[in-house]
Amino acid sequence: MDDEIEDLSPLPEEAAAMVEHAIEQEHGYLSWLGTEVTAIERGKIVLTVPYDEKLTNSDGETIHGGVAATLIDTAGGIAQQTCIENPLSSSAATVNLNVNYLRRATGDLRAVGEVIRHGGTIGVSDLRVESQTPDGNVREVVVGQGSYRLFR
């Protein structure tokens, strides 16, 4: 994580609660997916989406890769926003998203977004998703990196 982020005061509880509410209750697509915020702090967020057959490919088992891509894109942008002194008055827009699919996801998704670099106008986040795989183990199924334009 960027050294400058460690120098920031902890993320205000109000900001964390508003992010949770926005994702879980107000955002049409993310709410429909069942997205939940399970951890949030300066420079890092953890999001989950429960397994649901409506999210699978035609095989009825494998979660569609677009769901994982949505999750890491969202996690990367929000992680960047948490690094702004007042995250509630900021936004982030994706400039570039690199997604690498490692293996099939057949269970709940858990995404972690962590800030690598938080600059004046551009930030870069490291992203990964874990899920249960067909062998019954929980493993990384997607890794990626995102670049975001920061609006303060």
Side-chain angles (χ1 to χ4, degrees), residues 104-151:
R104 293 174 40 199
T106 57
D108 298 347
L109 300 178
R110 179 180 178 274
V112 178
E114 292 186 87
V115 171
I116 297 172
R117 173 76 171 111
H118 183 78
T121 57
I122 298 289
V124 178
S125 296
D126 181 54
L127 311 159
R128 60 192 178 280
V129 176
E130 297 175 338
S131 178
Q132 183 176 350
T133 57
D135 62 10
N137 294 313
V138 174
R139 301 174 66 189
E140 280 189 341
V141 294
V142 176
V143 294
Q145 189 175 76
S147 301
Y148 302 87
R149 170 70 167 93
L150 307 174
F151 300 95

Side-chain angles (χ1 to χ4, degrees), residues 22-127:
I23 288 173
E24 295 173 4
Q25 306 296 322
E26 293 180 359
H27 192 286
Y29 180 54
L30 295 175
S31 299
W32 179 81
L33 288 174
T35 309
E36 292 184 7
V37 178
T38 59
I40 185 170
E41 61 187 63
R42 295 278 188 196
K44 182 177 181 181
I45 190 166
V46 180
L47 301 173
T48 60
V49 168
Y51 175 88
D52 190 315
E53 193 173 311
K54 71 183 179 191
L55 304 177
T56 63
N57 290 318
S58 60
D59 67 6
E61 295 177 7
T62 306
I63 295 179
H64 189 280
V67 177
T70 294
L71 205 54
I72 63 171
D73 184 25
T74 302
I78 293 173
Q80 289 293 328
Q81 284 181 254
T82 67
C83 297
I84 296 171
E85 189 60 41
N86 183 1
L88 300 176
S89 66
S90 68
S91 64
T94 308
V95 174
N96 186 44
L97 184 64
N98 177 293
V99 180
N100 296 293
Y101 298 96
L102 306 176
R103 56 189 57 86
R104 293 174 40 199
T106 57
D108 298 347
L109 300 178
R110 179 180 178 274
V112 178
E114 292 186 87
V115 171
I116 297 172
R117 173 76 171 111
H118 183 78
T121 57
I122 298 289
V124 178
S125 296
D126 181 54
L127 311 159

